[in-house]
Amino acid sequence: MLKRSLPCGVLAVVLVLTAACGGSSDDGSAAAPGPAASSGPAGMAGTFDNVTYGPNAVVVDAGAVASGLRAEDGKVFRFAAGTKGIDKLAPGKTVLFGGKAVRKVAAVRTEGDQVVVETADTTLNELVDTGTVGWTVPVAWAGLSEKDYKAVRLSDGTTTRVADVSLVRQAGDGPSVTNKWTIGGVEVTLKLTPKATRLDVELEASRANAKVTASGWVSNFTNETRMEFDHGAGRSITSNIRKLSAEMEVTWAAVGRSGTGLDTDIARLSFPFEAPIPFVVGGIPFTLKVKSAIRIVPALRENSSSGGSFKVTYDADQGFAKSGSPLLTGTSDLRTAEAVLGAKETVTAGYLPVGFGWGWEFPRLELATLGIGTFAFITLDTYVAGEFTPGTTLTADIPPCQRASATLHAIAGYKLELLGFATLKDQTTLWEKKIEKFKDDEPCTLTGK
């Protein structure tokens, strides 16, 4: 087995996958030593300590991949005949295409002057047998250019019309990227403007009887991840999002639909958008994807309405850890999480109990190994709502109640079997803060006191 370290340091480049100081054996297998390659955003640091590859692993170094790869679709890779290391591939081998993907070889054949490698899914422990792989990746929004914000097709197959994408450079700032979509009957506009220390955000989503908006900013942040392998199995992992803060004004305005009874038409929308931040550690390609989703949750009747606003702020570190215990532990350092009523009047009204709420996941941060898949996410979620109960109008023994609430929380999800841990797939709340406001400060109780 090959033992590798990181003797040549980390090459810092902005959002470009490159071979930093790559090298491997002449035959491309995992049996001969060579320096490791790491690259990523400016300021990134990689850890690749005492790593040994598995007995079935083959490495095709990044230089060979860059010069020899002719085409690929994620499953089938076509190389020029004679590309170094390709001759060592055989069905059943786990291959690291340096800087590109980790896959299991299903078949190898020659077509003309090309070698065609058909592949299947694998797990990271099939490549890394023993050692430590990790990174510290600072995310500076200003380092992203308009080409880094990519339109993607939703995984559930939802047909999405991209109505408009406008790229307008702001004086002294990065480009402003505006995306417009129609998703499930909801018109969505998302505008992102990178600045030196933060990302300014404007969101608007509307349908016939409801409109929600958010406006504010999200700070730069850092992802720190470290995973350890022992004899072909995942032994421990920690991952944290550090120094993430935000301030948002979130609003809503909705009315009940005529003649429909109680409207509970919930919309859950994942945006066809992501900003991938790729990086390489020891030749292994990873990516941190920035994504977003919303949900609209009405409970309105004809002649009822709900509207309001909150200004929310948070500042926290959040993450998760798993070691000897079969359970994964959430971690957090919540410095600030507040919500106050915003500029818009907050009122929900109706003849019967009614309400309206909406939530926004942003940023949703997903970690993936290229060629293997997403193994974890950490998302910051804001959910605001207004509700009204009329009380007992005839006897007046239970007073009516106006309530508005904002819930801020961080959630982690994980699918660690992709890294070689014993089956572990779940999600957990890392921190949560709920704030409630009442009309005239009268809480919703039987007495109103």
Side-chain angles (χ1 to χ4, degrees):
M1 287 188 254
L2 171 63
K3 185 170 287 187
R4 307 183 77 174
S5 60
L6 194 59
C8 62
V10 175
L11 175 65
V13 296
V14 178
L15 300 172
V16 179
L17 291 174
T18 60
C21 42
S24 72
S25 62
D26 289 340
D27 63 12
S29 74
S38 292
S39 62
M44 175 214 167
T47 300
F48 200 70
D49 292 342
N50 302 312
V51 171
T52 60
Y53 290 142
N56 241 6
V58 176
V59 177
V60 179
D61 72 31
V65 171
S67 62
L69 184 63
R70 295 295 177 261
E72 58 94 6
D73 63 5
K75 294 182 179 180
V76 179
F77 296 76
R78 294 177 174 270
F79 289 89
T83 298
K84 185 170 66 174
I86 298 299
D87 59 322
K88 298 301 178 182
L89 300 183
K93 295 286 187 180
T94 294
V95 57
L96 167 60
F97 294 126
K100 179 63 69 173
V102 179
R103 302 289 292 169
K104 184 178 288 291
V105 178
V108 182
R109 66 180 186 274
T110 299
E111 291 185 359
D113 61 351
Q114 294 186 352
V115 177
V116 180
V117 184
E118 297 181 8
T119 68
D121 295 339
T122 187
T123 56
L124 191 56
N125 62 306
E126 292 293 320
L127 175 71
V128 178
D129 183 74
T130 301
T132 301
V133 179
W135 56 83
T136 298
V137 174
V139 175
W141 298 110
L144 298 177
S145 65
E146 56 264 32
K147 66 182 177 59
D148 297 309
Y149 297 91
K150 298 182 178 179
V152 296
R153 186 174 180 82
L154 299 181
S155 60
D156 63 3
T158 300
T159 300
T160 301
R161 174 179 61 84
V162 179
D164 178 57
V165 178
S166 61
L167 306 175
V168 181
R169 185 163 298 278
Q170 309 284 326
D173 297 321
S176 178
V177 180
T178 300
N179 297 276
K180 294 183 179 181
W181 308 285
T182 301
I183 312 171
V186 179
E187 298 288 337
V188 180
T189 301
L190 178 64
K191 181 179 179 181
L192 307 172
T193 304
K195 295 190 174 181
T197 60
R198 71 189 200 192
L199 178 70
D200 285 357
V201 181
E202 296 178 35
L203 169 69
E204 179 180 307
S206 61
R207 61 187 187 188
N209 66 324
K211 178 180 177 180
V212 300
T213 69
S215 178
W217 55 266
V218 177
S219 71
N220 294 345
F221 62 91
T222 298
N223 173 235
E224 299 173 354
T225 298
R226 179 184 180 94
M227 56 186 80
E228 296 183 357
F229 298 86
D230 186 14
H231 294 91
R235 183 172 65 184
S236 68
I237 180 172
T238 61
S239 186
N240 290 282
I241 301 297
R242 306 283 191 193
K243 299 181 179 178
L244 180 62
S245 59
E247 180 179 296
M248 292 283 171
E249 178 96 8
V250 293
T251 75
W252 71 97
V255 297
R257 294 174 175 172
S258 299
T260 59
L262 183 64
D263 175 13
T264 57
D265 184 12
I266 297 174
R268 301 180 184 274
L269 311 176
S270 294
F271 295 166
F273 146 89
E274 64 184 34
I277 301 168
F279 53 96
V280 178
V281 179
I284 303 173
F286 297 94
T287 186
L288 174 64
K289 296 179 181 179
V290 182
K291 305 179 79 172
S292 184
I294 65 170
R295 59 199 184 280
I296 299 173
V297 186
L300 295 171
R301 303 172 185 272
E302 186 175 4
N303 298 320
S304 67
S305 63
S306 181
S309 64
F310 274 97
K311 183 177 181 179
V312 301
T313 58
Y314 62 79
D315 178 15
D317 298 342
Q318 48 270 307
F320 60 86
K322 185 193 180 303
S323 53
S325 169
L327 299 178
L328 185 143
T329 302
T331 60
S332 66
D333 177 12
L334 182 58
R335 291 177 289 272
T336 302
E338 299 293 342
V340 297
L341 292 176
K344 180 178 179 179
E345 184 180 15
T346 300
V347 177
T348 301
Y351 293 107
L352 294 171
V354 291
F356 183 88
W358 79 282
W360 187 24
E361 287 186 68
F362 189 80
R364 178 185 172 97
L365 307 169
E366 297 185 356
L367 285 167
T369 310
L370 296 186
I372 293 178
T374 299
F375 60 83
F377 73 82
I378 296 175
T379 186
L380 279 297
D381 180 74
T382 299
Y383 184 80
V384 294
E387 60 183 277
F388 171 75
T389 54
T392 51
T393 56
L394 294 179
T395 60
D397 54 340
I398 300 176
C401 186
Q402 287 270 2
R403 184 207 315 260
S405 64
T407 303
L408 316 177
H409 48 204
I411 300 169
Y414 37 88
K415 191 177 181 182
L416 298 186
E417 58 261 41
L418 295 180
L419 303 178
F421 289 82
T423 302
L424 189 60
K425 179 180 179 181
D426 203 353
Q427 68 178 45
T428 186
T429 298
L430 306 177
W431 59 262
E432 181 175 280
K433 181 71 174 292
K434 184 172 182 178
I435 299 95
E436 292 186 319
K437 302 292 183 180
F438 302 93
K439 186 177 184 298
D440 300 325
D441 293 325
E442 295 180 354
C444 290
T445 65
L446 293 178
T447 64
K449 297 180 180 179

